Amino acid sequence: MIPQVQAALNSILTSVATLRMAGGAGRAFELFVMGGVARALQLRSYDVWLQRSDGTRILPGDADRRFIQRGGAPTGIAGAAQGPGNAATIGFRFQQRPTWELWNGIQFEGRSGATHEIDLAIVPSSVGQALRAQPAGGRPLGRPRVAIECKDVAAPGSVDEMRAFVARLYDITLLTSHHPHLAIGGAAQSIHPGLPQNSIHVPALSYWEENRRTLNVIARRSGFVTGAAAMTGYHSIEPHAGIAATTTSAQGLFDTVADWIVANGY
């Protein structure tokens, strides 16, 4: 998968990027999906770029063209004051619309106070900017518009795996009824901090509604057991099986995510 990741990064940068991949099971798989989604957006005429952890763009002529994958224990977004050597992100924008960021391996805070790692998440760039402005960085509170769980394992996805993803999304969902009970300043939004005031991010009234106005995906190298797949419809989770380098299933996943972003005007 690494050759495909390198090719995607080089295409986005229009130069040779230096990939610093994190060790550990499944990390290459996450990069593969991340690069594939970004490349699919680029092919749909989005402006797509690589971004250092301090928020600066990686330019084709820069001496330092490292794209760094977060390693070690899960954490939040690093502060810009900590320098450019932490986890890189991918930014994208269509014409004059708001800017978005594609994150890998970032923890989100839930209503319970627990933190939940989302393998790949798409959030407004204003959220990333607000977190990077904090000296030590921080974690977003709320739910991304796109959440992708990556599973590079041979065994089929179980019912418990699906339940865990549903529970994670449940805790990071901020509904209209939750905000009076949360210590959050400003207008109620679906994710904090630093969110632009627009209708995309006004909190939903129910989990059913929020599940259907976000894109939630489990991407697996293998498949799913019957019971796990049966849960996806009600909770609006898209199962994508057989994701591997050069497969039509992988391209189908990339196209699904990119087409959803286009269709929702992001």
Side-chain angles (χ1 to χ4, degrees):
M1 288 183 173
I2 296 305
Q4 287 79 13
V5 173
Q6 188 68 60
L9 295 178
N10 292 348
S11 179
I12 293 166
L13 186 61
T14 67
S15 182
V16 177
T18 302
L19 173 61
R20 197 174 89 185
M21 191 184 77
R27 302 313 304 275
F29 188 80
E30 293 168 11
L31 279 177
F32 173 66
V33 177
M34 187 181 196
V37 169
R39 180 66 179 133
L41 286 168
Q42 189 178 48
L43 293 173
R44 286 159 175 78
S45 298
Y46 278 70
D47 181 21
V48 182
W49 61 90
L50 309 182
Q51 187 169 278
R52 299 181 182 90
S53 59
D54 63 358
T56 58
R57 289 196 188 194
I58 303 172
L59 301 177
D62 288 348
D64 180 5
R65 298 193 297 275
R66 290 177 299 164
F67 186 86
I68 302 171
Q69 186 181 30
R70 180 195 59 77
T75 185
I77 292 292
Q82 296 173 310
N86 292 294
T89 58
I90 294 177
F92 66 90
R93 182 182 183 182
F94 185 77
Q95 298 180 357
Q96 301 307 310
R97 293 176 186 169
T99 302
W100 297 82
E101 294 183 9
L102 174 56
W103 294 351
N104 174 214
I106 295 299
Q107 286 183 327
F108 287 68
E109 290 187 8
R111 302 185 315 278
S112 68
T115 57
H116 306 278
E117 182 183 7
I118 303 296
D119 290 336
L120 296 175
I122 290 176
V123 302
S125 181
S126 59
V127 175
Q129 292 169 6
L131 292 170
R132 286 190 290 270
Q134 300 175 21
R139 298 177 178 86
L141 170 65
R143 181 166 172 171
R145 295 299 86 190
V146 177
I148 305 176
E149 179 80 355
C150 297
K151 295 292 183 183
D152 183 22
V153 292
S158 67
V159 174
D160 284 345
E161 178 183 281
M162 187 67 68
R163 285 179 182 144
F165 189 48
V166 170
R168 196 173 308 144
L169 295 175
Y170 171 83
D171 195 34
I172 62 176
T173 297
L174 303 182
L175 302 178
T176 301
S177 59
H178 294 145
H179 281 268
H181 310 287
L182 297 171
I184 305 173
Q189 299 288 348
S190 60
I191 188 172
H192 296 266
L195 197 69
Q197 304 296 311
N198 59 52
S199 59
I200 293 175
H201 306 288
V202 173
L205 295 175
S206 68
Y207 294 104
W208 191 94
E209 178 187 358
E210 184 68 353
N211 289 346
R212 281 155 182 79
R213 66 176 199 159
T214 54
L215 179 63
N216 313 291
V217 174
I218 295 185
R220 305 189 97 264
R221 174 162 60 90
S222 55
F224 298 85
V225 301
T226 302
M231 295 178 64
T232 59
Y234 181 81
H235 295 287
S236 193
I237 294 174
E238 289 208 13
H240 285 261
I243 307 303
T246 72
T247 64
T248 56
S249 296
Q251 190 58 53
L253 167 64
F254 307 153
D255 289 339
T256 292
V257 177
D259 288 342
W260 186 91
I261 290 169
V262 171
N264 284 274
Y266 289 8

